[in-house]
Amino acid sequence: MSILWLLCPIIAFGSFVDAIAGGGGLITLTAYVAVGLPPQTALGNNKFASSSGTLIASIRYLAHSQVSLLVGVVAIVFSFLGSGFGSLLATRYASTYLNYLLVFLVPALALFMMLKPDFGQARSRSRLFVVLLGMGTGLVMGMYDGFFGPGTGMFLTLIFTSVLGLDLLKACGTARVVNLASNVAALAVFLRHGVIDFSIAIPCALSAIVGGYLGSSLALTVGVKVVKPVMLFVLAILLLKVVVGMF
């Protein structure tokens, strides 16, 4: 019970962040490991709770028409394919090189967001362009998620707005739907292997639902003014995780 008093507020906060910008798993998974859960149990519990929070956030974004169904469906299909290939790569190659790449990539992305005045504004793209780039985005980010993982939702948001031309809020909503699909797929595997501690997972899932609802509500109400700072916050956490993991 004492673990839950510590975990539940952190899980709620991580879900809150995730609903706005993605990357909440950087916070929540760290919390599960910090309280002493075995790695597989930590991963399973994290997916159980994050799926609940992401589901609520996805419903909120869908209800407010802030999801591009065309991009979302295409990206979901190809992210599944990419995730399988990425997982295969992870069994054969270390993630060391990706760590070094992210050390340079993450600050560059942060500078791009801060220095580009029209970041997050909608831009017109042809349907063919959107479909082809949606396929490519799903495949590449699925591979990243299967191989490494941290910050996938935030990277999806960045690509959806910067490359595919979605406005930032719709990019957030679309990323949540794509993330939900990958979370559910991973959750099914953890459930099958029985590595979830439901005495911890269920209270944390309820906390994630609260965080997901509040985060998506704030994003839908305030918009870019809250999404962009939270994305920069997630980039900072990701950079810290990568640098710490290298030493």
Side-chain angles (χ1 to χ4, degrees), residues 79 82-91 140-149 152:
S79 69
S83 182
F85 186 59
S87 298
L88 179 63
L89 289 176
T91 63
V140 172
M141 291 315 303
M143 288 173 58
Y144 173 81
D145 198 22
F147 183 71
F148 192 69
T152 300

Side-chain angles (χ1 to χ4, degrees), residues 33-57:
V33 173
V35 298
L37 293 184
Q40 285 296 320
T41 304
L43 288 168
N45 282 23
N46 188 54
K47 284 300 179 187
F48 186 88
S50 64
S51 295
S52 303
T54 305
L55 173 61
I56 295 300

Side-chain angles (χ1 to χ4, degrees), residues 11-21 208 210-212 214-216 218 226 230:
I11 302 309
F13 176 67
S15 181
F16 175 84
V17 169
D18 198 67
I20 297 173
V210 172
L214 293 176
S216 56
L218 182 62
V226 69
V230 174

